[in-house]
Amino acid sequence: MGDRELTLTSLPGRDLSPEELERLVAHLAADRDRWAEHVAYDDDERVYVSLHRDEHVDVWLLCWTPENDTGWHDHDVSSGAVAVVEGELVENNLTLSDGARETRVKAGTVFSFGGDHIHRLTGLADRSVSVHAYSPPLWRMGQYAVDESGVLRRRSLSYADELRPVGA
């Protein structure tokens, strides 16, 4: 497939690599007609809409406000890619030495990660939009929180559950 454009109609019928997922979300981010009607914002619950799902990939549109926060999570066995279409997101990665490492992700940016990637996403701009793709499709995710004794714990949850900070 090389560096050719990757679209929903040109999927190879197998799980995609993180680099291929980047190409897919970049294409879909530019295809506003496919998702623009679903854009909506809610401070209490992040708005997310499934744009595509098959046996090898699923694609989501997510709409963010600064109040929207996924909490710490992983994507179990799925690799993923994110294209920020409008606004700005903040990605935090947990380090043992420095705590959370913050990266601001501006509109026009695309990034990918493997299933072992633990992060937390929040909206930074008043209104932000992003396109996410996962392969294999999400079935389970891990959500992380520190328990009352100070130990980090992972809780497994369905891909259909809204991610938010544990205890929120």
Side-chain angles (χ1 to χ4, degrees), residues 69-132:
D69 182 349
T70 62
W72 295 102
H73 68 281
D74 66 39
H75 302 91
D76 200 44
V77 299
S78 301
S79 293
V82 176
V84 179
V85 181
E86 295 176 4
E88 189 171 3
L89 302 180
V90 175
E91 180 187 34
N92 280 286
N93 300 104
L94 193 56
T95 70
L96 293 178
S97 59
D98 302 321
R101 180 177 299 141
E102 180 179 294
T103 304
R104 291 180 174 211
V105 187
K106 296 180 184 286
T109 302
V110 177
F111 67 96
S112 62
F113 46 86
D116 61 348
H117 185 73
I118 300 170
H119 68 168
R120 179 180 202 158
L121 290 173
T122 57
L124 184 62
D126 284 341
R127 294 178 176 217
S128 301
V129 176
S130 54
V131 176
H132 302 233

Side-chain angles (χ1 to χ4, degrees), residues 46 48 140-141 155-164:
R46 187 176 56 259
Y48 53 100
R140 308 287 316 158
M141 293 184 291
R155 178 180 69 138
S156 183
L157 68 151
S158 165
Y159 77 94
D161 293 330
E162 181 184 4
L163 284 171
R164 53 182 47 224

Side-chain angles (χ1 to χ4, degrees), residues 59-70:
V59 180
W60 296 83
L61 176 76
L62 284 81
C63 304
W64 306 80
T65 71
E67 288 76 22
N68 299 149
D69 182 349
T70 62

